[in-house]
Amino acid sequence: MNRLGTIFYALLRKLLFVWVRTRTVGASRSGLGLESDLPVVYVLQNQSLSNLLVVQEECLRSGLPDPLAAVSIGEQDEARANFHLLPRRDVFAGPRRASKPSPYLVRLVEAIAHDPELDVQVVPVSVFWGRSPDKENSFLKIVLSDTWAMAGRLQKFLIILIQGRLTFVQFNRPISLRQAISRESSDTENTRKLVRVLRLHFRNVRASVIGPDLSHRRTLVNSLLDSIPVRKAIELEADSKKIDVRKAQKLAWKYADEIASDISYTVIRMYDLVLTWLWNRIYNGVEINNLEQVKDLAADHEIIYTPCHRSHIDYLLMSYVLYHAGLQMPHIAAGINLNMPVVGPILRRGGAFFMRRTFKGNQLYTAVFNEYLHAVFTRGYSVEYFIEGGRSRTGRMLTPRPGMLSMTVRSYLRDSKKPIIFVPIYFGYEKILEERSYLGELRGKKKKKESPLDIIRTLRNLKSNFGKVYVNFGTPVYLSEYLAEHQPKWREQSYGDEYKPYWLASVVDDLGKRLAIRINESVAVNPINLVAVALLSTPKLSIDERALMEQIDLYRRMLRTHAYSSTLTITDMDVRNLVSYVEELGLFSRLNHSLGDILYLEGNNAVLMTYYRNNVMHLFAIPSLIACVFRHHDSVEEDRIIGVCQTIYPYLTAELHLRWSEEEVADTTRSWLKILEQEGLLVREGAELQRPSDSTPAFYALDLLADIVRQTIERFYLVIVVLQRAGNGATTAEDLEGQCQLVAQRMSALHGFNAPEFFDKLLFRGFIETLIRMEVLSVHEDGKLNYLRPIDETVADARLTLSNQIRQTIRQMTMLN
């Protein structure tokens, strides 16, 4: 480009950016993986001067090659390092005819074909003005937003004028022309192939950023009523309730209207402004990890986001992260309890669709909801739902519920054209906004129903510092591969609209467990987690500051040596700064002393910190179980330790969602034994392992490590003792849960246990279900529990981990019961 042209474009660019503001993804050499010795050429989908100027500005800002600069391609020189895939379309032009390939692309292919040493990096770049999807009957949206339609000059001017401050630019990884073309094909065939590849690429990027072409919400709702499953359900409703078919249709329409989301990108942009202010107001930052893999998959897959559920902020945080990453906004499954006045409509326009807590006994509602979800999947929307069903009040991963997963799998069996992946996500909060309400629920109070007043109460906390938030994306689960693993011939079966294969329940149950495990694999170990694990393990919830720092360093070394997963993240904050940081958040108290300060927990903090310890308890489950063995024994043979872990592991993993199979437990235990030896917490003497002398710091560290899962083992033992007291075939699972909860509550009150989940009924239920699954117990026709093998054999190894005193206490308590 000559000097005059350079000045002219520079002036145009400066004039454009007086108004335009951009958000850009991928604009870096390292992010794109560009080879420095190969020429770079940019390809844009449409011929547009404004788009080209935006791309040039982002390239200059990021130190990338200038798309308007000359570039040498082998022996030929090109005046510009860019070309467009499609010709300009004017709004006043007639019907568009099939367009010829870009002459620039033709020249590139010919140059590559004639020079075997030449390669060119073609970087696709997409520019979006407003990122609003098309709605069929909204002319204003079509005019003022970037949609699937190609804009003419006048329309583009209006779009820039209205949406210019919300411009999104996405640079994608380069295409190697050398690898893309085939030596066996002609230049013409290779050019056509590249055009097809680039067309598909731009279409997929547009779908992943702004979503698929949308029909209006009313059109979607009406289409549900025309589907065969809903029409059948309407007829059944009319017959069973002896009402007119039209009345049943109105009821079905009411259900659909209650369920369906109504995404508004005006509201989403409002979210962006408000949430940006909110995060800066109350948090020290939002740290995102492992997102790149999702962006790479988004164009070609239907994505189901399955995060853990810790806070109402989860909904907003997830959408915020995806919006800023340049991914389409998901449709989010929300409980009907959130469809409150004022709040409900705002959430609905942010992508929420509402579901009732139970579908039982309402076949019409079930049919409408299933069909709505199927429409969402098949039209290419990304979806987000919480497999736990509700928020975890204890800080640990809850047992997944099968409902949404089952509906997803059934929908995919009906129509598997676009592959589905589940993306597990871990949300980690250094302090949760709902900590006040959680404190009450942790102490056993009944969960309160949400109301608009709760939001006002939460806003009072905006002056507080809630630390940092972590969003870790886990390893995806590919549904087609998963089905092939469990049902190799699933594609050969035929599935009707209402057909449920016999294997669905077991497959969905296992899928939920796998997702829970992968969420736990992606945990973010933050400063609060580490302090909570160490402090709560002390007998009096107090510890010398130096000893605390040494214990935290020990835990971090252990986790880094025995990496739980590749998606795990661990804070690298200096340990002294780490302790000071947690103190600034007000999560423990300090007693100044000339021999060294004492750090301690009291009151609400003692209870609240159990929540943050439970976030990461699963990481320490095996080493803590090993340490439990040495809490009451000086030395134990290695094979005996492995046997203990193998016996107790199935019950631990049912509660903590651990990643290893039961066949891998022996090797995992050996690995942890080596690490504990390296750290000096165990000493090997031939086939035996010994604990350190009780006068050493290593002994104290081992004792603290043992306390992490101690109460979990005690709870298991309590269930067995209550079973023994009741007798074979004398109690139901429900009665057993209630009896165990009463005993645990009494023990907690008398012995000052600081972990309220010690008497959580759901945890007792999970243990009883595991005993049934492990064929220790069976359920008789009358609901009574029967022993399938002697109970004493099952808990012989568990006894090895508990002191005589605690076993005697549990037995005394069960006698009172």
Side-chain angles (χ1 to χ4, degrees):
M1 188 189 305
N2 59 37
R3 182 175 177 79
L4 185 61
T6 301
I7 295 172
F8 174 70
Y9 281 110
L11 288 174
L12 282 181
R13 197 174 68 252
K14 288 184 180 297
L15 180 62
L16 181 67
F17 275 84
V18 168
W19 175 246
V20 170
R21 297 291 181 272
T22 57
R23 181 177 294 134
T24 305
V25 172
S28 70
R29 279 188 173 275
S30 58
L32 293 172
L34 292 177
E35 299 286 344
S36 57
D37 57 340
L38 296 179
V40 174
V41 174
Y42 302 91
V43 55
L44 286 76
Q45 184 174 17
N46 306 317
Q47 184 178 357
S48 167
L49 178 58
S50 56
N51 286 12
L52 182 57
L53 292 174
V54 166
V55 173
Q56 184 189 31
E57 177 69 17
E58 298 306 317
C59 289
L60 295 176
R61 288 177 179 176
S62 307
L64 293 172
D66 185 348
L68 287 175
V71 60
S72 296
I73 309 295
E75 297 180 356
Q76 66 188 42
D77 295 327
E78 295 288 349
R80 297 179 180 180
N82 76 84
F83 68 94
H84 55 272
L85 192 64
L86 302 176
R88 180 186 298 280
R89 175 181 174 272
D90 199 294
V91 72
F92 300 110
R96 188 175 64 192
R97 297 177 182 176
S99 57
K100 295 182 180 179
S102 165
Y104 197 118
L105 180 59
V106 172
R107 294 196 298 272
L108 288 179
V109 171
E110 290 175 350
I112 295 291
H114 291 86
D115 186 347
E117 301 298 323
L118 179 62
D119 195 4
V120 178
Q121 302 171 100
V122 176
V123 178
V125 189
S126 301
V127 181
F128 301 95
W129 305 84
R131 294 177 62 189
S132 179
D134 192 1
K135 289 203 170 188
E136 288 178 358
N137 62 351
S138 176
F139 176 77
L140 188 61
K141 281 283 185 184
I142 294 174
V143 171
L144 301 183
S145 298
D146 205 336
T147 70
W148 285 81
M150 194 187 302
R153 289 186 176 89
L154 176 60
Q155 186 181 355
K156 192 60 174 282
F157 173 76
L158 293 174
I159 288 173
I160 294 173
L161 187 64
I162 303 300
Q163 306 281 17
R165 303 184 79 82
L166 299 165
T167 304
F168 180 80
V169 187
Q170 180 160 322
F171 287 75
N172 290 93
R173 291 185 179 277
I175 297 171
S176 165
L177 286 193
R178 169 61 55 195
Q179 296 177 9
I181 68 173
S182 171
R183 293 181 180 179
E184 289 74 25
S185 302
S186 67
D187 291 351
T188 301
E189 289 171 334
N190 278 322
T191 303
R192 287 176 180 169
K193 174 188 171 184
L194 281 167
V195 169
R196 288 196 301 271
V197 169
L198 288 169
R199 280 180 183 271
L200 180 61
H201 167 82
F202 282 117
R203 181 172 182 82
N204 287 340
V205 168
R206 183 166 289 267
S208 68
V209 172
I210 69 174
D213 272 333
L214 299 179
S215 62
H216 190 265
R217 179 176 185 270
R218 183 177 293 274
T219 306
L220 174 60
V221 168
N222 288 337
S223 70
L224 299 180
L225 273 62
D226 291 333
S227 67
I228 294 174
V230 175
R231 289 212 313 261
K232 288 181 180 178
I234 288 172
E235 292 172 2
L236 287 173
E237 182 80 5
D239 288 343
S240 63
K241 294 188 177 179
K242 308 300 180 185
I243 59 175
D244 186 72
V245 171
R246 291 183 180 180
K247 190 172 182 179
Q249 286 176 333
K250 287 182 179 179
L251 183 59
W253 193 94
K254 180 182 176 183
Y255 287 153
D257 187 59
E258 174 190 295
I259 293 165
S261 69
D262 189 18
I263 288 184
S264 163
Y265 274 69
T266 301
V267 172
I268 287 171
R269 288 192 289 271
M270 179 196 74
Y271 276 1
D272 183 31
L273 293 173
V274 172
L275 293 178
T276 300
W277 170 84
L278 180 65
W279 305 147
N280 292 329
R281 175 81 174 180
I282 64 175
Y283 292 126
N284 294 333
V286 178
E287 184 175 307
I288 304 164
N289 296 293
N290 311 319
L291 178 58
E292 287 304 315
Q293 60 176 340
V294 180
K295 292 167 70 174
D296 292 340
L297 293 167
D300 304 317
H301 295 79
E302 168 70 22
I303 296 186
I304 313 295
Y305 298 101
T306 55
C308 62
H309 198 8
R310 302 290 161 82
S311 168
H312 281 317
I313 291 293
D314 298 345
Y315 297 97
L316 305 175
L317 183 59
M318 188 74 220
S319 295
Y320 181 84
V321 168
L322 296 177
Y323 182 78
H324 278 258
L327 294 165
Q328 65 162 288
M329 302 300 292
H331 286 235
I332 308 163
I336 196 68
N337 57 311
L338 293 177
N339 193 15
M340 301 175 280
V342 182
V343 176
I346 293 175
L347 293 177
R348 193 186 297 275
R349 285 170 176 77
F353 62 93
F354 295 100
M355 59 185 296
R356 299 183 178 185
R357 289 299 182 188
T358 178
F359 297 4
K360 193 174 181 181
N362 193 334
Q363 293 300 317
L364 182 57
Y365 181 87
T366 302
V368 172
F369 190 91
N370 278 331
E371 202 60 27
Y372 174 77
L373 203 60
H374 183 66
V376 168
F377 291 146
T378 54
R379 296 183 184 213
Y381 304 143
S382 61
V383 176
E384 173 191 347
Y385 52 73
F386 302 100
I387 58 174
E388 297 165 280
R391 287 172 290 156
S392 170
R393 267 65 174 183
T394 64
R396 67 179 75 199
M397 187 74 195
L398 302 179
T399 301
R401 296 185 180 180
M404 291 294 291
L405 288 174
S406 179
M407 285 184 270
T408 304
V409 174
R410 288 183 63 200
S411 174
Y412 186 64
L413 294 177
R414 283 175 60 185
D415 186 343
S416 56
K417 293 176 184 175
K418 190 170 185 180
I420 284 181
I421 58 169
F422 295 94
V423 178
I425 300 154
Y426 175 85
F427 289 127
Y429 297 90
E430 291 183 342
K431 285 187 75 175
I432 48 173
L433 281 174
E434 297 94 336
E435 62 179 17
R436 290 185 180 180
S437 64
Y438 280 8
L439 276 170
E441 292 174 34
L442 280 167
R443 289 192 171 102
K445 289 184 180 179
K446 208 169 183 180
K447 177 190 169 187
K448 287 176 60 179
K449 186 178 179 181
E450 283 87 356
S451 74
L453 290 177
D454 292 332
I455 297 174
I456 298 172
R457 295 188 189 102
T458 301
L459 292 175
R460 295 176 186 170
N461 295 328
L462 294 185
K463 294 181 181 178
S464 303
N465 179 6
F466 286 86
K468 203 172 184 179
V469 186
Y470 302 82
V471 184
N472 285 4
F473 288 79
T475 305
V477 174
Y478 295 76
L479 183 53
S480 59
E481 294 179 8
Y482 176 83
L483 290 173
E485 176 186 335
H486 287 75
Q487 290 293 323
K489 296 183 179 181
W490 72 273
R491 290 189 184 275
E492 299 173 17
Q493 302 177 38
S494 60
Y495 307 97
D497 294 334
E498 301 175 21
Y499 179 66
K500 293 182 181 180
Y502 69 91
W503 45 260
L504 182 68
S506 61
V507 165
V508 166
D509 182 61
D510 186 77
L511 175 60
K513 291 175 182 176
R514 184 172 298 189
L515 290 171
I517 288 169
R518 294 204 175 174
I519 290 171
N520 269 350
E521 287 178 351
S522 305
V523 63
V525 183
N526 64 48
I528 287 75
N529 300 142
L530 292 168
V531 170
V533 170
L535 255 175
L536 288 169
S537 298
T538 59
K540 301 293 184 181
L541 305 184
S542 60
I543 190 172
D544 174 80
E545 183 174 19
R546 183 179 295 278
L548 175 66
M549 290 191 289
E550 290 173 354
Q551 195 72 10
I552 288 171
D553 271 340
L554 169 67
Y555 289 159
R556 286 201 292 196
R557 288 197 306 272
M558 289 169 57
L559 293 178
R560 285 169 178 155
T561 304
H562 193 288
Y564 192 82
S565 74
S566 60
T567 51
L568 169 83
T569 59
I570 306 171
T571 177
D572 56 3
M573 188 182 294
D574 173 78
V575 67
R576 188 171 295 279
N577 293 335
L578 183 153
V579 172
S580 299
Y581 178 73
V582 179
E583 185 174 14
E584 289 172 7
L585 292 175
L587 290 170
F588 65 76
S589 302
R590 177 185 293 269
L591 175 65
N592 295 316
H593 196 277
S594 57
L595 296 180
D597 290 356
I598 304 296
L599 310 181
Y600 63 95
L601 295 171
E602 61 179 351
N604 288 339
N605 281 342
V607 177
L608 189 61
M609 287 293 264
T610 64
Y611 180 94
Y612 301 112
R613 177 201 58 192
N614 291 349
N615 292 167
V616 298
M617 184 187 288
H618 60 285
L619 302 178
F620 299 96
I622 298 298
S624 180
L625 179 57
I626 294 170
C628 279
V629 174
F630 289 94
R631 200 168 200 178
H632 313 294
H633 301 82
D634 292 329
S635 63
V636 184
E637 291 185 354
E638 181 175 350
D639 289 345
R640 182 73 170 118
I641 298 168
I642 293 171
V644 169
C645 292
Q646 287 177 316
T647 298
I648 298 178
Y649 181 80
Y651 309 109
L652 275 179
T653 193
E655 183 171 309
L656 299 177
H657 306 288
L658 304 177
R659 68 183 300 262
W660 302 286
S661 68
E662 292 177 18
E663 293 74 25
E664 296 172 322
V665 175
D667 288 340
T668 302
T669 304
R670 291 189 187 96
S671 178
W672 272 114
L673 286 171
K674 289 180 182 178
I675 292 171
L676 294 176
E677 283 183 65
Q678 292 168 8
E679 292 293 343
L681 272 62
L682 293 177
V683 179
R684 183 176 291 276
E685 288 290 337
E688 288 191 343
L689 288 155
Q690 299 177 351
R691 68 184 182 189
S693 169
D694 58 10
S695 61
T696 62
F699 178 88
Y700 181 61
L702 186 67
D703 193 57
L704 293 184
L705 179 62
D707 205 79
I708 297 173
V709 298
R710 174 179 59 84
Q711 289 183 354
T712 302
I713 306 302
E714 290 172 0
R715 190 169 53 249
F716 294 167
Y717 186 75
L718 189 155
V719 174
I720 298 300
V721 173
V722 173
L723 264 173
Q724 288 177 322
R725 295 291 187 198
N728 197 2
T731 185
T732 65
E734 187 177 355
D735 288 341
L736 181 59
E737 289 171 23
Q739 293 170 35
C740 291
Q741 185 181 39
L742 288 174
V743 175
Q745 284 174 335
R746 187 173 180 85
M747 286 184 63
S748 183
L750 290 175
H751 294 272
F753 291 167
N754 63 291
E757 76 270 9
F758 184 73
F759 49 82
D760 186 342
K761 201 171 185 178
L762 289 177
L763 295 181
F764 287 118
R765 182 178 304 166
F767 180 55
I768 295 165
E769 289 173 353
T770 305
L771 287 171
I772 296 169
R773 180 177 62 84
M774 297 291 294
E775 297 184 348
V776 177
L777 298 177
S778 67
V779 182
H780 196 261
E781 292 178 358
D782 60 1
K784 303 293 185 181
L785 296 173
N786 296 303
Y787 309 157
L788 292 179
R789 61 177 189 256
I791 291 292
D792 286 341
E793 293 181 12
T794 305
V795 294
D797 286 336
R799 287 180 183 143
L800 191 65
T801 65
L802 300 176
S803 67
N804 290 331
Q805 181 183 2
I806 196 67
R807 295 207 310 270
Q808 184 63 28
T809 300
I810 291 173
R811 289 191 174 276
Q812 288 176 349
M813 293 291 177
T814 55
M815 288 176 67
L816 290 173
N817 187 54

